Structure formats: C-alpha cells, structure tokens
Amino acid sequence: MKIVIVGAGVSGLSAGIFALKAGYEVEIYEKNNVAGGCCSSWKRGDFTIDNCIHWLTGTKKGTPQYNVWKELGVIKDDEAFIQRESFYTSEYMGQKITLWRDLERTRKELLELSPEDEKEITRFIECVKLGEGLQNPTDDPAEKNSVFKEVTFSLSRAEILKSLFVYSGISIEEFTNKIKHPLIKKMAADFMSKDYEALWLPMAYSFFVAGNGDIPKGGSKEIADRLVATFKSLGGRLYLSTPVKTVSISDKKAKILKQIFVPSGKNFFKPKKIKVRSADGVILENDSFVPADYIICACDIHYTYYHLLGKKYLSKPVSKAYANRKKNIIYSSFQVAFAVDGEFNEIDDTLYFDCDTIDVGMSKHNRLCVKNYRNYGDYIAPAGKTVIQCSIIQYRKDSEFWIKLHENPTLYSNYKNNIATAIKNRIETKFPQYEGKLKILDIWTPYSYSSRNHCHMGAYMRFITKVINPRIIISSDVKKLSNVYLASHWLRYPGGLPTAATMGKVAVDKIVLTEKEHAN
C-alpha cells in the first residue's frame, strides 16, 4: 500500500521513515528545493546562518526522545554533542545574571544578587532539579520514585509538587510579578512571550542542565540531511520543488465508518456515528494526479485545512483558535544575522540587554536578544570570525503588517534594511569595540516564513501554550476523512522538532492500527 506525504519537514521525513519500516511504499512531495522545512540553514558567502536549533531535546542517551532520534538516523551513540556552559544571560542596569549548566552556580549567584527573593529562587531551582531528575533514564519504578528524595535542597515533596502546580497555573508575566529584583524579573521575561505558561522556563532549563538539550554537530542542516539519507536508504522517494495543490477527495458517497465520542453535558461523553469520506490521492501544482491509499499532511495545519483539504474538515477547537484575532496565540519573529570580524567572545551564547527603542512591524522594542553561533562549529564562519543573530518577537498584528507590506517589494526591502541597520547600531553602541566589524548577512521576517513554508502569519512555532489552553492536544485524525492524517508539531504541547518527529511516528502508528482493524 502507498502512503503519500505532503511536506518534507521533520514531521514528513519522520513519518516517511517509520512508514517505510512498517512496510509501506512512500512518496514525499515538497514545495521547496531542499528538505527540512523550518529545520534549515543556508550559506551567505563564507558564513552559515542556522535558522532553527537553539537546543535539541533528546540528546541524553537512553531518554525516549534520544531513541526516536536514533531510530531516525539523526544521532548515533558514539557521537559527541556541542555542550554550552550557559542557557542564556540577561543584563539590566549594569548587572548580569546567567542560567548556567552548573545549577548550583546559578542558585548561588541568584541568591547573592537578591536574598529577598530566596523563596522564589529556591522554588525555581527545586523545580529545575526535579525536571533534571525526571530525565534520568531508568526502567526501575523505584528509581523514578526516588527522584524526589535525590533532587531536593530544602523543600519537601509536597512543596515541590505545589511548585509545579504554581508554575503551570501562571503566565511568564505573572511569574515576574512574584519577583522583587528587577534583573531577575528581566531574566524570567526574556525566556518567552509574556503570555506563555511559566512552567516552561524551569522545564526547558532542566533539559539543558540534564544534558538533554545540547546541539548536534552540523546544526539544523545536518539533522535534515540525515533524515533524508535515512529515508532514501529505506527506499523512499522524495520529490523536491513539487508542490501539492490539494488532496483529492473521492467522489464516492460518504459512508458510516467509525464511531467517536463527543462531549455530552459537563463531565460525560456519548457515542456518535459519523459519516466519513476517503481521499484517493493528491493533485500536484501542475495538475497531475498521484494516487495513494493513505495521505499524511505534514505541514502547517492552517494551510492543511484551508488549502489542501477545505474548511469543512476543520475541527472546532482549531477553527476557534484561528478565528480569534484579538488574542496573541500565534507568534513569529523578525530576524537579522550579522557576519562579525572577530569571535565576539563577549557573548558566551545568548545575551539579552536594553537598548534605545526600535519600531519593528507594529510594535516597539527596547530590549535585544543577540546569539553568538561561534560554538556551533567551524562550519559557521572562517577562523577568527563568527555569526551573531538577533531575533525580535512578532505577533499577529506585526505579521499582518509584514505580509501586507510585501505587496510593495521595494518598500518592504527598505524598511527591513532600516530596522537591521538600527539593530546593528544598537549592538555597536553596546559593544563599541565592534564598530565597523559587523556586516548584515541576511534579514527575514514573518512574511519569509509564510512564503517559504506556508506558515500561517509566519508562525513557525505552534500556538502559545497559555495557562488554560484547550489547544494543548490536537488530534492527528481528520474527523470526516477515513484515510487522511496529520503529522505536525502543531498537534502537541509544546511543539518544536521533538514533537514534529514524534507526530510523524504517531500518524504511521494510526495507519497501521487502521489496517489491523480492517483486517479483523
């Protein structure tokens, strides 16, 4: 039986690999001339811009995600990863604080900086240590239960659990309101959008501390290349520069095929039979038809429903999410990369600092995030040089601005260049020793993500995971179609590459299960 996959990003390639291992014939159709989707990098002269990986969850041997990456051919047991010493550094009013790989060092420096925040600092550190302990691979339930005893400095098990509930019940902004010291407030706010669930700051940091969030050598491009190599080695067929126009739905009359459970009242569900149709293949942009027994849409879910399938197949939760234009539940970025004549050792990895206000899109920003890619390896830049990159968050209103502005390409180009120059000036003001040593390599906006990867409003990440969020889990089934499935990081909390790879496997598992049910 043949599976056709739309999109050769991480989800699509993962689905293709697992489908081939399950015995299916697989074809992947990708609109771009390279695979990888948002997991991409590109050259500008002698310099490389890595567009994706800040850290990769699953670099710790024996963890479930490590095993997924290993099966996909992305990582090998005998490989070393790039290990950074710091997660990120925040600066404010002449003071700095760093989230170090050495958690005890972080704890001491935070307490020295702000003894009055001891309660919140202790809660934060304990939560990180709990997250670190939970990532220790073990098959022994007793060892898993002992994590609570092993990771605590001063809090009881009940207090640690309470801390987890506290973080999962507040936003980043609400978390900063609990802190007294202005620099630690800035450090917490720098991590993510203010609306994001606060739990993900200690959890993401715990991945880093545990060695489960390092960087594979070769970065984003190497990951994409290895996925493609594994896929092809198993006999898969990959068609680049071959966009899919639509999924072809069979003309046969819909039939009652499956039973689902729908909400009934406050706490109950009732069975309901639904009529479903089936797809018979995909229609390419050149109007040629490709037959398929199963189809996996491994691309942006807004594009999937609004272009490939049609809105009538859209689930209510997803429909409501996209319809609510007033809430900032999706976001993108304005990005600029600079070639540096020097290694910029003043920034170990990532630094946040205040600057004069810059207008970007429809928003004003007075704080910059600058990341130094020197420690990614020699492929980033020639010896003695480096690439630094600045990312500025953009919400829906900003993305709409950039997409509209691109209707006038000259105006679009001039405006983004003016912003990049303003950012360059702010960096040179902060680091005057680099004046004249920075060169703009490339600039990309929400429009770039929208155009290249069909990311709705340029949103390369999934919905912002808010405190009470009904969109944490989205089904990979398409309710009214029997043989079409979704594979995307949009489907699971918190999104990103590990989720993308996992959801590729989930889509194939569902197809295998469907085949077994049909056989019975």
PDB file of all heavy atoms in Angstrom, residues 312-341:
ATOM      1  N   LYS A 312     -14.381  22.600   5.615  1.00  0.00           N
ATOM      2  CA  LYS A 312     -15.431  21.749   6.174  1.00  0.00           C
ATOM      3  C   LYS A 312     -14.866  20.594   6.991  1.00  0.00           C
ATOM      4  O   LYS A 312     -15.583  19.965   7.770  1.00  0.00           O
ATOM      5  CB  LYS A 312     -16.345  21.217   5.065  1.00  0.00           C
ATOM      6  CG  LYS A 312     -15.706  20.221   4.117  1.00  0.00           C
ATOM      7  CD  LYS A 312     -16.743  19.772   3.086  1.00  0.00           C
ATOM      8  CE  LYS A 312     -16.168  18.770   2.109  1.00  0.00           C
ATOM      9  NZ  LYS A 312     -17.181  18.330   1.114  1.00  0.00           N
ATOM     10  N   TYR A 313     -13.563  20.319   6.827  1.00  0.00           N
ATOM     11  CA  TYR A 313     -12.927  19.258   7.611  1.00  0.00           C
ATOM     12  C   TYR A 313     -12.244  19.794   8.873  1.00  0.00           C
ATOM     13  O   TYR A 313     -11.668  19.037   9.641  1.00  0.00           O
ATOM     14  CB  TYR A 313     -11.899  18.518   6.752  1.00  0.00           C
ATOM     15  CG  TYR A 313     -12.522  17.829   5.565  1.00  0.00           C
ATOM     16  CD1 TYR A 313     -12.391  18.345   4.281  1.00  0.00           C
ATOM     17  CD2 TYR A 313     -13.276  16.673   5.730  1.00  0.00           C
ATOM     18  CE1 TYR A 313     -12.974  17.718   3.184  1.00  0.00           C
ATOM     19  CE2 TYR A 313     -13.864  16.037   4.646  1.00  0.00           C
ATOM     20  CZ  TYR A 313     -13.714  16.564   3.371  1.00  0.00           C
ATOM     21  OH  TYR A 313     -14.306  15.943   2.297  1.00  0.00           O
ATOM     22  N   LEU A 314     -12.329  21.096   9.086  1.00  0.00           N
ATOM     23  CA  LEU A 314     -11.653  21.743  10.196  1.00  0.00           C
ATOM     24  C   LEU A 314     -12.344  21.439  11.515  1.00  0.00           C
ATOM     25  O   LEU A 314     -13.565  21.528  11.627  1.00  0.00           O
ATOM     26  CB  LEU A 314     -11.648  23.256   9.948  1.00  0.00           C
ATOM     27  CG  LEU A 314     -10.874  24.162  10.890  1.00  0.00           C
ATOM     28  CD1 LEU A 314      -9.394  23.831  10.869  1.00  0.00           C
ATOM     29  CD2 LEU A 314     -11.081  25.621  10.475  1.00  0.00           C
ATOM     30  N   SER A 315     -11.575  21.081  12.551  1.00  0.00           N
ATOM     31  CA  SER A 315     -12.148  20.820  13.871  1.00  0.00           C
ATOM     32  C   SER A 315     -12.502  22.145  14.544  1.00  0.00           C
ATOM     33  O   SER A 315     -11.876  23.178  14.289  1.00  0.00           O
ATOM     34  CB  SER A 315     -11.160  20.042  14.737  1.00  0.00           C
ATOM     35  OG  SER A 315     -10.024  20.824  15.015  1.00  0.00           O
ATOM     36  N   LYS A 316     -13.493  22.106  15.431  1.00  0.00           N
ATOM     37  CA  LYS A 316     -13.970  23.328  16.080  1.00  0.00           C
ATOM     38  C   LYS A 316     -12.897  24.029  16.915  1.00  0.00           C
ATOM     39  O   LYS A 316     -12.760  25.253  16.840  1.00  0.00           O
ATOM     40  CB  LYS A 316     -15.207  23.023  16.918  1.00  0.00           C
ATOM     41  CG  LYS A 316     -16.455  22.776  16.096  1.00  0.00           C
ATOM     42  CD  LYS A 316     -17.675  22.573  16.979  1.00  0.00           C
ATOM     43  CE  LYS A 316     -18.919  22.339  16.128  1.00  0.00           C
ATOM     44  NZ  LYS A 316     -20.116  22.126  16.968  1.00  0.00           N
ATOM     45  N   PRO A 317     -12.131  23.304  17.763  1.00  0.00           N
ATOM     46  CA  PRO A 317     -11.116  23.994  18.559  1.00  0.00           C
ATOM     47  C   PRO A 317     -10.092  24.755  17.720  1.00  0.00           C
ATOM     48  O   PRO A 317      -9.722  25.881  18.044  1.00  0.00           O
ATOM     49  CB  PRO A 317     -10.443  22.856  19.338  1.00  0.00           C
ATOM     50  CG  PRO A 317     -11.463  21.779  19.396  1.00  0.00           C
ATOM     51  CD  PRO A 317     -12.196  21.858  18.099  1.00  0.00           C
ATOM     52  N   VAL A 318      -9.641  24.144  16.616  1.00  0.00           N
ATOM     53  CA  VAL A 318      -8.658  24.801  15.761  1.00  0.00           C
ATOM     54  C   VAL A 318      -9.295  25.976  15.029  1.00  0.00           C
ATOM     55  O   VAL A 318      -8.699  27.051  14.900  1.00  0.00           O
ATOM     56  CB  VAL A 318      -8.049  23.808  14.761  1.00  0.00           C
ATOM     57  CG1 VAL A 318      -7.041  24.507  13.860  1.00  0.00           C
ATOM     58  CG2 VAL A 318      -7.376  22.664  15.503  1.00  0.00           C
ATOM     59  N   SER A 319     -10.534  25.786  14.579  1.00  0.00           N
ATOM     60  CA  SER A 319     -11.254  26.860  13.900  1.00  0.00           C
ATOM     61  C   SER A 319     -11.407  28.078  14.809  1.00  0.00           C
ATOM     62  O   SER A 319     -11.177  29.223  14.404  1.00  0.00           O
ATOM     63  CB  SER A 319     -12.632  26.368  13.455  1.00  0.00           C
ATOM     64  OG  SER A 319     -13.369  27.410  12.869  1.00  0.00           O
ATOM     65  N   LYS A 320     -11.771  27.843  16.065  1.00  0.00           N
ATOM     66  CA  LYS A 320     -11.945  28.939  17.019  1.00  0.00           C
ATOM     67  C   LYS A 320     -10.628  29.642  17.304  1.00  0.00           C
ATOM     68  O   LYS A 320     -10.576  30.862  17.461  1.00  0.00           O
ATOM     69  CB  LYS A 320     -12.547  28.404  18.319  1.00  0.00           C
ATOM     70  CG  LYS A 320     -14.015  28.027  18.218  1.00  0.00           C
ATOM     71  CD  LYS A 320     -14.525  27.516  19.555  1.00  0.00           C
ATOM     72  CE  LYS A 320     -15.993  27.142  19.463  1.00  0.00           C
ATOM     73  NZ  LYS A 320     -16.508  26.603  20.757  1.00  0.00           N
ATOM     74  N   ALA A 321      -9.560  28.869  17.368  1.00  0.00           N
ATOM     75  CA  ALA A 321      -8.248  29.450  17.647  1.00  0.00           C
ATOM     76  C   ALA A 321      -7.839  30.434  16.556  1.00  0.00           C
ATOM     77  O   ALA A 321      -7.392  31.547  16.840  1.00  0.00           O
ATOM     78  CB  ALA A 321      -7.203  28.345  17.787  1.00  0.00           C
ATOM     79  N   TYR A 322      -8.001  30.031  15.311  1.00  0.00           N
ATOM     80  CA  TYR A 322      -7.601  30.915  14.220  1.00  0.00           C
ATOM     81  C   TYR A 322      -8.572  32.072  14.022  1.00  0.00           C
ATOM     82  O   TYR A 322      -8.194  33.132  13.525  1.00  0.00           O
ATOM     83  CB  TYR A 322      -7.473  30.112  12.922  1.00  0.00           C
ATOM     84  CG  TYR A 322      -6.216  29.282  12.859  1.00  0.00           C
ATOM     85  CD1 TYR A 322      -6.265  27.905  12.747  1.00  0.00           C
ATOM     86  CD2 TYR A 322      -4.971  29.894  12.924  1.00  0.00           C
ATOM     87  CE1 TYR A 322      -5.104  27.145  12.687  1.00  0.00           C
ATOM     88  CE2 TYR A 322      -3.806  29.150  12.864  1.00  0.00           C
ATOM     89  CZ  TYR A 322      -3.878  27.779  12.747  1.00  0.00           C
ATOM     90  OH  TYR A 322      -2.725  27.032  12.700  1.00  0.00           O
ATOM     91  N   ALA A 323      -9.825  31.873  14.422  1.00  0.00           N
ATOM     92  CA  ALA A 323     -10.821  32.927  14.259  1.00  0.00           C
ATOM     93  C   ALA A 323     -10.647  34.045  15.275  1.00  0.00           C
ATOM     94  O   ALA A 323     -11.076  35.180  15.051  1.00  0.00           O
ATOM     95  CB  ALA A 323     -12.233  32.348  14.369  1.00  0.00           C
ATOM     96  N   ASN A 324     -10.017  33.743  16.417  1.00  0.00           N
ATOM     97  CA  ASN A 324      -9.871  34.731  17.485  1.00  0.00           C
ATOM     98  C   ASN A 324      -8.655  35.614  17.207  1.00  0.00           C
ATOM     99  O   ASN A 324      -7.548  35.358  17.670  1.00  0.00           O
ATOM    100  CB  ASN A 324      -9.735  34.039  18.844  1.00  0.00           C
ATOM    101  CG  ASN A 324      -9.962  35.007  19.980  1.00  0.00           C
ATOM    102  OD1 ASN A 324      -9.806  36.217  19.829  1.00  0.00           O
ATOM    103  ND2 ASN A 324     -10.337  34.476  21.128  1.00  0.00           N
ATOM    104  N   ARG A 325      -8.868  36.671  16.470  1.00  0.00           N
ATOM    105  CA  ARG A 325      -7.776  37.532  16.028  1.00  0.00           C
ATOM    106  C   ARG A 325      -7.282  38.469  17.131  1.00  0.00           C
ATOM    107  O   ARG A 325      -6.218  39.063  17.020  1.00  0.00           O
ATOM    108  CB  ARG A 325      -8.244  38.361  14.825  1.00  0.00           C
ATOM    109  CG  ARG A 325      -8.661  37.533  13.633  1.00  0.00           C
ATOM    110  CD  ARG A 325      -9.344  38.396  12.588  1.00  0.00           C
ATOM    111  NE  ARG A 325      -8.434  39.394  12.027  1.00  0.00           N
ATOM    112  CZ  ARG A 325      -7.613  39.167  11.015  1.00  0.00           C
ATOM    113  NH1 ARG A 325      -7.573  37.970  10.446  1.00  0.00           N
ATOM    114  NH2 ARG A 325      -6.834  40.122  10.556  1.00  0.00           N
ATOM    115  N   LYS A 326      -8.055  38.603  18.198  1.00  0.00           N
ATOM    116  CA  LYS A 326      -7.700  39.562  19.254  1.00  0.00           C
ATOM    117  C   LYS A 326      -6.679  39.007  20.241  1.00  0.00           C
ATOM    118  O   LYS A 326      -6.007  39.754  20.941  1.00  0.00           O
ATOM    119  CB  LYS A 326      -8.949  40.017  20.002  1.00  0.00           C
ATOM    120  CG  LYS A 326      -9.902  40.831  19.146  1.00  0.00           C
ATOM    121  CD  LYS A 326     -11.110  41.299  19.955  1.00  0.00           C
ATOM    122  CE  LYS A 326     -12.048  42.124  19.087  1.00  0.00           C
ATOM    123  NZ  LYS A 326     -13.227  42.589  19.846  1.00  0.00           N
ATOM    124  N   LYS A 327      -6.582  37.677  20.321  1.00  0.00           N
ATOM    125  CA  LYS A 327      -5.664  37.067  21.282  1.00  0.00           C
ATOM    126  C   LYS A 327      -4.344  36.711  20.602  1.00  0.00           C
ATOM    127  O   LYS A 327      -4.325  36.194  19.502  1.00  0.00           O
ATOM    128  CB  LYS A 327      -6.291  35.822  21.906  1.00  0.00           C
ATOM    129  CG  LYS A 327      -7.445  36.132  22.848  1.00  0.00           C
ATOM    130  CD  LYS A 327      -7.909  34.873  23.567  1.00  0.00           C
ATOM    131  CE  LYS A 327      -9.006  35.205  24.576  1.00  0.00           C
ATOM    132  NZ  LYS A 327      -9.471  33.996  25.293  1.00  0.00           N
ATOM    133  N   ASN A 328      -3.248  36.992  21.315  1.00  0.00           N
ATOM    134  CA  ASN A 328      -1.929  36.655  20.787  1.00  0.00           C
ATOM    135  C   ASN A 328      -1.620  35.192  21.067  1.00  0.00           C
ATOM    136  O   ASN A 328      -0.914  34.850  22.008  1.00  0.00           O
ATOM    137  CB  ASN A 328      -0.865  37.543  21.432  1.00  0.00           C
ATOM    138  CG  ASN A 328      -0.913  38.960  20.919  1.00  0.00           C
ATOM    139  OD1 ASN A 328      -1.211  39.179  19.751  1.00  0.00           O
ATOM    140  ND2 ASN A 328      -0.626  39.918  21.776  1.00  0.00           N
ATOM    141  N   ILE A 329      -2.170  34.309  20.250  1.00  0.00           N
ATOM    142  CA  ILE A 329      -1.917  32.886  20.466  1.00  0.00           C
ATOM    143  C   ILE A 329      -0.929  32.332  19.444  1.00  0.00           C
ATOM    144  O   ILE A 329      -0.490  31.203  19.563  1.00  0.00           O
ATOM    145  CB  ILE A 329      -3.221  32.070  20.409  1.00  0.00           C
ATOM    146  CG1 ILE A 329      -3.891  32.209  19.051  1.00  0.00           C
ATOM    147  CG2 ILE A 329      -4.155  32.466  21.532  1.00  0.00           C
ATOM    148  CD1 ILE A 329      -4.991  31.212  18.819  1.00  0.00           C
ATOM    149  N   ILE A 330      -0.579  33.127  18.435  1.00  0.00           N
ATOM    150  CA  ILE A 330       0.463  32.723  17.495  1.00  0.00           C
ATOM    151  C   ILE A 330       1.485  33.850  17.394  1.00  0.00           C
ATOM    152  O   ILE A 330       1.164  35.018  17.604  1.00  0.00           O
ATOM    153  CB  ILE A 330      -0.096  32.382  16.093  1.00  0.00           C
ATOM    154  CG1 ILE A 330      -0.896  33.549  15.505  1.00  0.00           C
ATOM    155  CG2 ILE A 330      -0.953  31.138  16.144  1.00  0.00           C
ATOM    156  CD1 ILE A 330      -1.359  33.308  14.090  1.00  0.00           C
ATOM    157  N   TYR A 331       2.718  33.480  17.117  1.00  0.00           N
ATOM    158  CA  TYR A 331       3.761  34.489  17.034  1.00  0.00           C
ATOM    159  C   TYR A 331       4.834  34.074  16.041  1.00  0.00           C
ATOM    160  O   TYR A 331       4.956  32.909  15.683  1.00  0.00           O
ATOM    161  CB  TYR A 331       4.385  34.747  18.407  1.00  0.00           C
ATOM    162  CG  TYR A 331       5.181  33.589  18.967  1.00  0.00           C
ATOM    163  CD1 TYR A 331       6.569  33.584  18.905  1.00  0.00           C
ATOM    164  CD2 TYR A 331       4.550  32.499  19.548  1.00  0.00           C
ATOM    165  CE1 TYR A 331       7.310  32.529  19.419  1.00  0.00           C
ATOM    166  CE2 TYR A 331       5.279  31.439  20.057  1.00  0.00           C
ATOM    167  CZ  TYR A 331       6.658  31.460  19.990  1.00  0.00           C
ATOM    168  OH  TYR A 331       7.382  30.397  20.499  1.00  0.00           O
ATOM    169  N   SER A 332       5.609  35.045  15.600  1.00  0.00           N
ATOM    170  CA  SER A 332       6.699  34.825  14.667  1.00  0.00           C
ATOM    171  C   SER A 332       7.877  35.686  15.118  1.00  0.00           C
ATOM    172  O   SER A 332       7.931  36.097  16.276  1.00  0.00           O
ATOM    173  CB  SER A 332       6.250  35.158  13.242  1.00  0.00           C
ATOM    174  OG  SER A 332       7.247  34.827  12.299  1.00  0.00           O
ATOM    175  N   SER A 333       8.808  35.976  14.196  1.00  0.00           N
ATOM    176  CA  SER A 333       9.980  36.777  14.561  1.00  0.00           C
ATOM    177  C   SER A 333      10.476  37.588  13.376  1.00  0.00           C
ATOM    178  O   SER A 333      10.318  37.192  12.219  1.00  0.00           O
ATOM    179  CB  SER A 333      11.130  35.888  15.044  1.00  0.00           C
ATOM    180  OG  SER A 333      10.811  35.211  16.219  1.00  0.00           O
ATOM    181  N   PHE A 334      11.065  38.719  13.698  1.00  0.00           N
ATOM    182  CA  PHE A 334      11.916  39.458  12.761  1.00  0.00           C
ATOM    183  C   PHE A 334      13.344  39.035  13.086  1.00  0.00           C
ATOM    184  O   PHE A 334      13.780  39.094  14.235  1.00  0.00           O
ATOM    185  CB  PHE A 334      11.762  40.969  12.960  1.00  0.00           C
ATOM    186  CG  PHE A 334      12.685  41.784  12.094  1.00  0.00           C
ATOM    187  CD1 PHE A 334      12.265  42.252  10.865  1.00  0.00           C
ATOM    188  CD2 PHE A 334      13.977  42.090  12.525  1.00  0.00           C
ATOM    189  CE1 PHE A 334      13.112  43.006  10.058  1.00  0.00           C
ATOM    190  CE2 PHE A 334      14.834  42.832  11.724  1.00  0.00           C
ATOM    191  CZ  PHE A 334      14.405  43.296  10.495  1.00  0.00           C
ATOM    192  N   GLN A 335      14.091  38.588  12.068  1.00  0.00           N
ATOM    193  CA  GLN A 335      15.427  38.056  12.303  1.00  0.00           C
ATOM    194  C   GLN A 335      16.458  38.762  11.424  1.00  0.00           C
ATOM    195  O   GLN A 335      16.200  39.037  10.252  1.00  0.00           O
ATOM    196  CB  GLN A 335      15.462  36.553  11.956  1.00  0.00           C
ATOM    197  CG  GLN A 335      14.360  35.737  12.587  1.00  0.00           C
ATOM    198  CD  GLN A 335      14.849  34.911  13.761  1.00  0.00           C
ATOM    199  OE1 GLN A 335      15.934  35.144  14.285  1.00  0.00           O
ATOM    200  NE2 GLN A 335      14.057  33.947  14.171  1.00  0.00           N
ATOM    201  N   VAL A 336      17.618  39.027  12.016  1.00  0.00           N
ATOM    202  CA  VAL A 336      18.730  39.563  11.239  1.00  0.00           C
ATOM    203  C   VAL A 336      20.015  38.880  11.709  1.00  0.00           C
ATOM    204  O   VAL A 336      20.229  38.682  12.904  1.00  0.00           O
ATOM    205  CB  VAL A 336      18.837  41.100  11.359  1.00  0.00           C
ATOM    206  CG1 VAL A 336      18.943  41.545  12.809  1.00  0.00           C
ATOM    207  CG2 VAL A 336      20.020  41.637  10.565  1.00  0.00           C
ATOM    208  N   ALA A 337      20.831  38.462  10.739  1.00  0.00           N
ATOM    209  CA  ALA A 337      22.106  37.804  11.029  1.00  0.00           C
ATOM    210  C   ALA A 337      23.249  38.695  10.552  1.00  0.00           C
ATOM    211  O   ALA A 337      23.168  39.316   9.486  1.00  0.00           O
ATOM    212  CB  ALA A 337      22.179  36.439  10.348  1.00  0.00           C
ATOM    213  N   PHE A 338      24.315  38.739  11.354  1.00  0.00           N
ATOM    214  CA  PHE A 338      25.485  39.572  11.035  1.00  0.00           C
ATOM    215  C   PHE A 338      26.737  38.706  10.952  1.00  0.00           C
ATOM    216  O   PHE A 338      26.946  37.805  11.780  1.00  0.00           O
ATOM    217  CB  PHE A 338      25.721  40.623  12.125  1.00  0.00           C
ATOM    218  CG  PHE A 338      24.577  41.565  12.346  1.00  0.00           C
ATOM    219  CD1 PHE A 338      23.632  41.307  13.318  1.00  0.00           C
ATOM    220  CD2 PHE A 338      24.458  42.730  11.588  1.00  0.00           C
ATOM    221  CE1 PHE A 338      22.576  42.174  13.540  1.00  0.00           C
ATOM    222  CE2 PHE A 338      23.410  43.607  11.808  1.00  0.00           C
ATOM    223  CZ  PHE A 338      22.459  43.332  12.772  1.00  0.00           C
ATOM    224  N   ALA A 339      27.571  38.977   9.970  1.00  0.00           N
ATOM    225  CA  ALA A 339      28.924  38.438   9.956  1.00  0.00           C
ATOM    226  C   ALA A 339      29.792  39.345  10.814  1.00  0.00           C
ATOM    227  O   ALA A 339      29.683  40.571  10.741  1.00  0.00           O
ATOM    228  CB  ALA A 339      29.462  38.398   8.532  1.00  0.00           C
ATOM    229  N   VAL A 340      30.637  38.747  11.638  1.00  0.00           N
ATOM    230  CA  VAL A 340      31.467  39.513  12.565  1.00  0.00           C
ATOM    231  C   VAL A 340      32.939  39.260  12.271  1.00  0.00           C
ATOM    232  O   VAL A 340      33.371  38.100  12.165  1.00  0.00           O
ATOM    233  CB  VAL A 340      31.169  39.130  14.038  1.00  0.00           C
ATOM    234  CG1 VAL A 340      31.979  40.011  14.993  1.00  0.00           C
ATOM    235  CG2 VAL A 340      29.690  39.240  14.345  1.00  0.00           C
ATOM    236  N   ASP A 341      33.683  40.325  12.139  1.00  0.00           N
ATOM    237  CA  ASP A 341      35.132  40.221  12.023  1.00  0.00           C
ATOM    238  C   ASP A 341      35.692  40.110  13.446  1.00  0.00           C
ATOM    239  O   ASP A 341      36.064  41.094  14.074  1.00  0.00           O
ATOM    240  CB  ASP A 341      35.695  41.454  11.316  1.00  0.00           C
ATOM    241  CG  ASP A 341      37.189  41.346  11.071  1.00  0.00           C
ATOM    242  OD1 ASP A 341      37.743  40.252  11.301  1.00  0.00           O
ATOM    243  OD2 ASP A 341      37.803  42.354  10.674  1.00  0.00           O
TER     244      ASP A 341
END
